[in-house]
């Protein structure tokens, strides 16, 4: 019997890339590959790249420069670039780094098996199409191997919103939703393999409008209610949402669907209406705040999370102050903040840039405020009983770790629980990045 070939995938960027990497590994499993965690022993190396902020392409090229050296000792090694840098740069990647054998975009990776076979003949393979066919339909079904308790499931891809700073509409393409039946099949399959929690993924997941069994469009809330009926699935989450697509039925589901977890990632990007307009966000700070009021009315204990960009072109100190004010008002459990990064080809790239030192300073001030809120919410958990989905052993003997419904990492000493079990835990202390507790 021949020994299996080894595949090393390095994933950058968002959760959708994590999901795509899993599916790529499965697709190449059919070609006799098994995954390895070591680039040195790999027969094929795939970089699954992210293009959301600057320097992503440069990072890819310098990583490729390093990997090229591995080919000296192993001439049969194949090197591939997948993901959004692959989409954006295409054939340029092979021109700049001839050691690359394969370039595949995020909408065509179901063709990886044929592409890999082509590289075995010594040829290169390039595919950055947005094909008509649905890659998920073409991908081999997942092997029945057991998995951890938490999984991602892509239900929607692409974006039609065209925020002035963002490359996603160009790299991932137009909004497309997968049909309901396919998602339910995949969810049931994941549950059979040990999954208890599914995070539904989409660049604009709450714009989900996949075809239901009778052909009519579903909403994300309807999809969640169908998933709610899948036995053995205990928890449902979704990310990332746009404020303008938070429909009434989805808000209501946060109050009425017990499997839907009380955590919502709802990026706002800025608290200044002037900047929101220039960002082409089609909402105001006030409409966002009123929306959160409605979500909290449906689910008072929900933990909010968000994304922010500071130093967007023409942002003044007063605009930035409006962002701080909004953060004060919302009180985030988590938030991700970024310095604006110019993306060639996006409308904002042409505009007057904010001074770098000024933008750095704003980023620091915003992050300090967010960290303060995050710690306060973690500290508030002390003394409360949360429900932890146990995912893996902790660092110390007998310790088990998992996530609460609010997505806090929680660990418990001497925990007599199985992986995949959900158990009540009383929180006894909070540290920077995790909570400690005891089983109730
Ligand atoms: N510069 C900085 N941050 C960006 N994001 C998207 N595009 C840019 C950019 N050009 C951030 C947004 C988005 C998150 C995924 O990345 O906050 O919500
Ligand atoms: Fe990018 Fe999100 Fe705006 Fe779409 S909604 S353009 S993915 S930031």
């Amino acid at each position: 019997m021949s020994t299996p070939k080894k595949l090393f995938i390095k994933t950058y960027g968002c959760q959708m890339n994590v999901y795509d990497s899993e599916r790529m590994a499965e697709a190449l499993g059919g070609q006799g590959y098994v995954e390895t965690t070591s680039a040195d022993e790999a027969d094929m190396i795939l970089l699954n790249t992210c293009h959301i902020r600057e320097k992503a392409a440069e990072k890819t090229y310098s990583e490729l420069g390093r990997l090229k050296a591995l080919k000296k000792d192993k001439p049969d090694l194949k090197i591939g670039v997948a993901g959004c840098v692959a989409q954006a740069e295409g054939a340029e990647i092979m021109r700049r780094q001839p050691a690359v054998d394969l370039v595949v975009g995020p909408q065509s990776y179901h063709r990886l098996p044929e592409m890999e076979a082509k590289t075995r003949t010594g040829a290169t393979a390039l595919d950055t199409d947005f094909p008509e066919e649905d890659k998920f339909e073409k991908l081999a079904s997942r092997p029945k191997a057991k998995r951890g308790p938490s999984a991602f499931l892509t239900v929607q891809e692409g974006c039609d919103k065209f925020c002035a700073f963002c490359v996603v509409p160009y790299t991932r393409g137009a909004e497309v939703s997968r049909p309901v039946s396919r998602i339910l099949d995949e969810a049931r399959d994941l549950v059979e393999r040990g999954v208890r929690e599914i995070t539904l993924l989409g660049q604009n997941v709450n714009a989900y409008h996949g075809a239901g069994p009778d052909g009519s469009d579903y909403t994300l809330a309807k999809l969640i209610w169908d998933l709610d009926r899948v036995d053995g699935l205990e928890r449902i989450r979704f990310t990332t949402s746009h404020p303008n697509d938070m429909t009434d039925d989805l808000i209501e589901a946060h109050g009425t669907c017990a499997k839907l977890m009380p955590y919502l990632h709802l990026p706002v990007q800025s608290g200044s209406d002037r900047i929101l307009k220039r960002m082409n966000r089609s909402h105001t700070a006030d409409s966002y705040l009123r929306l959160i009021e409605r979500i909290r009315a449906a689910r008072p204990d929900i933990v909010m999370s968000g994304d922010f960009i500071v130093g967007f072109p023409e942002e003044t100190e007063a605009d930035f102050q409006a962002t701080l004010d909004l953060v004060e008002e919302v009180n985030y459990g988590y938030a991700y903040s970024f310095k604006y990064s110019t993306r060639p080809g996006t409308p904002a790239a042409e505009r007057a840039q904010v001074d770098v030192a000024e933008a750095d300073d704003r980023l620091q001030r915003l992050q300090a405020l967010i960290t303060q809120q995050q710690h306060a919410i973690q500290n508030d958990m002390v003394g409360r009983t949360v429900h932890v989905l146990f995912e893996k052993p902790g660092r110390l003997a007998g310790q088990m770790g998992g996530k609460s419904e609010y997505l806090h990492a929680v660990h418990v000493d001497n925990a007599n629980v199985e992986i995949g079990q959900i158990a009540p835990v009383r929180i006894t202390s909070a540290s920077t990045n995790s909570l400690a507790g005891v089983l109730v």
Side-chain angles (χ1 to χ4, degrees):
M1 219 171 84
S2 65
T3 49
K5 290 175 284 186
K6 297 214 166 114
L7 170 68
F8 174 74
I9 305 186
K10 185 161 177 181
T11 307
Y12 300 83
C14 66
Q15 292 150 325
M16 195 171 284
N17 266 11
V18 174
Y19 177 84
D20 287 341
S21 290
E22 287 170 12
R23 303 299 308 252
M24 288 184 216
E26 287 165 4
L28 287 168
Q31 303 294 104
Y33 281 92
V34 294
E35 264 193 285
T36 170
T37 52
S38 149
D40 291 327
E41 62 173 34
D43 300 288
M44 175 170 237
I45 297 177
L46 270 183
L47 302 182
N48 193 10
T49 58
C50 171
H51 205 229
I52 195 89
R53 280 171 288 276
E54 229 170 299
K55 301 200 184 93
E58 288 318 309
K59 238 193 291 178
T60 304
Y61 286 114
S62 58
E63 180 75 23
L64 289 171
R66 277 193 295 277
L67 292 175
K68 182 180 115 181
L70 295 174
K71 279 199 161 181
K72 272 207 206 87
D73 297 331
K74 202 188 251 180
D76 287 341
L77 170 70
K78 301 298 173 201
I79 298 177
V81 181
C84 295
V85 175
Q87 189 63 44
E89 296 271 298
E92 175 65 15
I93 297 180
M94 286 162 175
R95 264 196 298 276
R96 270 186 67 179
Q97 182 44 270
V100 173
D101 302 281
L102 180 157
V103 172
V104 64
Q107 301 310 348
S108 41
Y109 66 75
H110 54 293
R111 296 174 178 162
L112 263 175
E114 299 94 89
M115 295 175 74
E116 189 273 346
K118 194 172 165 202
T119 65
R120 293 281 148 209
T121 68
T124 57
L126 168 80
D127 193 335
T128 52
D129 285 355
F130 285 101
E132 278 296 306
E133 78 259 19
D134 174 358
K135 69 171 176 257
F136 296 115
E137 297 273 327
K138 302 284 166 194
L139 278 166
S141 71
R142 297 175 153 206
K144 294 285 171 200
K146 184 116 178 93
R147 333 192 1 144
S150 188
F152 295 131
L153 202 175
T154 293
V155 302
Q156 180 279 339
E157 268 192 272
C159 182
D160 298 341
K161 297 267 190 299
F162 291 91
C163 297
F165 50 81
C166 187
V167 286
V168 165
Y170 312 97
T171 54
R172 288 273 173 174
E175 261 178 30
V176 178
S177 298
R178 296 177 66 191
V180 173
S181 63
R182 282 310 187 117
I183 294 165
L184 291 176
D185 284 349
E186 196 170 324
R188 286 190 204 99
D189 176 63
L190 287 168
V191 168
E192 265 174 45
R193 293 159 56 196
V195 169
R196 295 288 163 266
E197 170 180 276
I198 292 181
T199 303
L200 306 174
L201 298 181
Q203 265 94 29
N204 244 307
V205 71
N206 58 344
Y208 177 84
H209 58 263
D214 62 358
S216 69
D217 274 9
Y218 257 46
T219 59
L220 183 65
K222 266 187 98 179
L223 176 67
I224 288 169
W225 281 112
D226 277 15
L227 287 164
D228 182 67
R229 286 192 289 276
V230 173
D231 284 338
L233 178 62
E234 307 291 346
R235 291 182 161 188
I236 303 166
R237 303 181 186 275
F238 60 89
T239 197
T240 289
S241 297
H242 191 288
N244 292 0
D245 293 314
M246 276 315 285
T247 50
D248 292 344
D249 59 348
L250 188 55
I251 295 173
E252 197 185 312
H254 273 286
T256 50
C257 179
K259 289 186 184 179
L260 187 57
M261 292 293 102
Y263 174 95
L264 180 63
H265 184 62
L266 197 61
V268 62
Q269 314 297 354
S270 170
S272 154
D273 288 343
R274 206 179 69 92
I275 293 297
L276 286 169
K277 197 163 181 13
R278 284 171 164 70
M279 284 178 165
N280 191 31
R281 288 288 296 181
S282 322
H283 61 75
T284 62
D286 190 62
S287 68
Y288 178 81
L289 292 169
R290 298 295 80 81
L291 175 61
I292 290 186
E293 269 174 18
R294 288 170 57 218
I295 296 164
R296 285 192 167 137
R299 182 77 204 224
D301 63 338
I302 200 160
V303 166
M304 292 302 306
S305 129
D307 289 342
F308 293 89
I309 295 177
V310 301
F312 185 77
E314 298 158 47
E315 184 189 67
T316 62
E317 178 59 27
D319 293 317
F320 176 65
Q321 191 55 50
T323 298
L324 293 178
D325 293 345
L326 178 138
V327 172
E328 288 281 6
E329 192 158 343
V330 172
N331 192 27
Y332 288 95
Y334 300 83
Y336 306 87
S337 45
F338 311 98
K339 197 165 65 166
Y340 170 71
S341 171
T342 308
R343 311 310 292 122
T346 60
E350 310 299 325
R351 305 184 193 157
Q353 305 292 311
V354 169
D355 177 67
V356 179
E358 186 61 43
D360 280 329
D361 179 64
R362 287 177 195 165
L363 185 65
Q364 276 187 18
R365 284 190 282 157
L366 177 60
Q367 286 182 340
L369 176 59
I370 288 168
T371 306
Q372 190 191 323
Q373 294 189 340
Q374 185 174 328
H375 288 168
I377 289 183
Q378 282 172 217
N379 289 332
D380 274 354
M381 291 286 161
V382 177
R384 283 179 61 181
T385 295
V386 297
H387 294 83
V388 176
L389 169 60
F390 286 96
E391 289 173 356
K392 53 179 189 275
R395 269 179 298 134
L396 306 174
Q399 202 177 57
M400 287 283 275
K403 297 272 166 55
S404 78
E405 52 274 61
Y406 307 106
L407 211 58
H408 286 127
V410 179
H411 61 265
V412 176
D413 288 334
N414 305 316
N416 188 17
V417 287
E418 305 283 317
I419 287 174
Q421 197 179 324
I422 296 174
V425 171
R426 191 167 48 77
I427 301 302
T428 52
S429 68
S431 61
T432 320
N433 289 316
S434 69
L435 306 174
V438 289
L439 289 175
V440 178

